[in-house]
């Protein structure tokens, strides 16, 4: 047997005897220990898309034109998650293709990546009427599918774009100004919130902060 394994077994035996000496005679079984990220080794994005089907799980199906599932590399190390489709995305069935999307493309390219190399999705997959904010029941209906996409892709880093994305993924009410640029954990995956590209179109002076966040993401990816 490999020397390391023999040593490991010996250490384990010593540890178990120590626990026994302390009066601990049973250990929790694996099914009681939560998995960090429930890994999906067999599920594919195509499976998730099939399961989603012609979704009518929330009221947005009545007004949407197209479901915007998400697009990009199934093996991406970096995933961007926005809020929800706008007019252009609803028309084309693709995420971030309008003005905000063009800015997102530039942001991605600023760290020498392309849209094809990352994965882009949204908190909700259907456009809310008049681009209103997503409502809690809509977010809740969509969330299992987004989580499955995350588990299939298993990115190293998720960049949460804007308030809704950051607050939904991190289950917090904290403002995006306080969240941005910091590192959080979503079941073992690093999450970095930053400003939404649509916010940057209205407030171009905040681009510098997003650039700082992107540099941090690039560094983390290079050291991963
Ligand atoms: N804004 C978003 O949050 N997502 C898109 O796909 C487009 C605009």
């Amino acid at each position: 047997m490999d020397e390391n394994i023999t040593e490991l077994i010996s250490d384990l035996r010593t540890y178990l005897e120590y626990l026994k000496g302390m009066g601990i005679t049973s250990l929790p079984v694996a099914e009681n220990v939560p998995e960090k990220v429930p890994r999906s080794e067999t599920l594919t994005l195509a499976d998730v898309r099939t399961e989603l089907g012609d979704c009518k799980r929330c009221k947005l199906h009545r007004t949407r034109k197209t479901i915007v599932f998400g697009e990009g590399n199934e093996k991406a190390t970096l995933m961007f998650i926005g809020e929800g489709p706008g007019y252009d995305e609803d028309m084309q069935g693709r995420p971030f293709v309008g003005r905000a999307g063009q800015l997102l493309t530039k942001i991605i390219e600023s760290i020498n990546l392309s849209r094809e190399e990352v994965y882009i999705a949204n908190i909700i997959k259907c456009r809310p009427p008049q681009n209103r904010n997503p409502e809690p029941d809509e977010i809740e209906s969509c969330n299992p599918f987004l989580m499955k996409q995350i588990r299939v892709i298993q990115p190293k880093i998720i960049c949460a774009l804007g308030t809704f994305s950051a607050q939904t993924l991190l289950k917090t009410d904290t403002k995006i100004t306080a969240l941005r640029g910091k590192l959080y954990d979503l079941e073992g995956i690093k999450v970095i919130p930053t400003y939404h590209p649509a916010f940057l179109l209205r407030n171009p002076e905040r681009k510098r902060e997003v650039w700082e966040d992107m540099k941090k993401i690039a560094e983390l990816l290079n050291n991963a």
Side-chain angles (χ1 to χ4, degrees), residues 15-223:
Y15 179 60
L16 290 173
E17 274 163 8
Y18 161 77
L19 289 179
K20 198 172 159 193
M22 302 276 293
I24 298 166
T25 53
S26 68
L27 291 170
V29 292
E31 64 185 3
N32 292 335
V33 180
E35 233 183 311
K36 271 188 128 187
V37 177
R39 300 283 171 195
S40 274
E41 303 297 347
T42 49
L43 206 65
T44 66
L45 288 176
D47 296 331
V48 183
R49 182 65 192 86
T50 302
E51 188 190 342
L52 182 67
D54 183 26
C55 186
K56 295 188 169 60
R57 291 169 182 82
C58 84
K59 57 191 174 302
L60 293 180
H61 79 272
R62 294 194 210 110
T63 46
R64 72 159 184 245
K65 178 177 181 289
T66 326
I67 295 176
V68 180
F69 181 70
E71 68 179 24
N73 182 354
E74 183 147 351
K75 295 197 160 59
T77 50
L78 175 59
M79 184 167 178
F80 289 88
I81 302 181
E83 179 177 319
Y87 174 83
D88 296 295
E89 292 75 22
D90 183 49
M91 295 304 279
Q92 296 184 40
R94 297 179 56 209
F96 281 99
V97 287
R99 276 187 71 219
Q102 285 161 23
L103 181 53
L104 177 63
T105 305
K106 284 191 191 152
I107 291 170
I108 294 167
E109 289 170 352
S110 76
I111 53 166
N112 294 321
L113 288 170
S114 64
R115 278 181 72 111
E116 293 71 33
E117 286 172 291
V118 302
Y119 194 87
I120 307 173
N122 280 305
I123 293 292
I124 56 166
K125 301 192 187 315
C126 296
R127 182 192 181 207
Q130 279 83 47
N131 295 343
R132 64 153 170 75
N133 288 339
E135 292 177 355
D137 62 306
E138 297 157 1
I139 294 175
E140 203 178 310
S141 304
C142 236
N143 191 257
F145 295 94
L146 178 62
M147 289 312 295
K148 281 185 189 176
Q149 285 170 290
I150 293 171
R151 285 168 195 152
V152 169
I153 297 163
Q154 299 177 27
K156 299 241 176 314
I157 301 171
I158 293 173
C159 179
L161 299 167
T163 302
F164 265 93
S165 175
Q167 291 185 344
T168 303
L169 292 171
L170 302 175
K171 299 187 175 68
T172 177
D173 289 335
T174 307
K175 291 212 167 95
I176 185 70
T177 42
L179 295 171
R180 73 140 276 277
K182 300 192 186 113
L183 218 57
Y184 301 87
D185 176 89
L186 174 70
E187 299 179 350
I189 296 171
K190 292 184 179 76
V191 177
I192 300 189
T194 196
Y195 295 132
H196 193 287
F199 171 81
L200 294 181
L201 289 174
R202 298 189 301 272
N203 303 276
E205 74 282 2
R206 311 305 287 265
K207 282 184 185 171
R208 207 179 49 80
E209 290 156 89
V210 173
W211 169 236
E212 293 301 323
D213 301 341
M214 294 310 295
K215 277 198 294 191
K216 192 177 279 184
I217 289 174
E219 247 173 63
L220 287 166
L221 286 175
N222 289 336
N223 296 331

Side-chain angles (χ1 to χ4, degrees), residues 7-18:
E7 200 180 315
L8 198 70
I9 291 172
S10 163
D11 286 351
L12 188 59
R13 181 171 294 128
T14 310
Y15 179 60
L16 290 173
E17 274 163 8
Y18 161 77

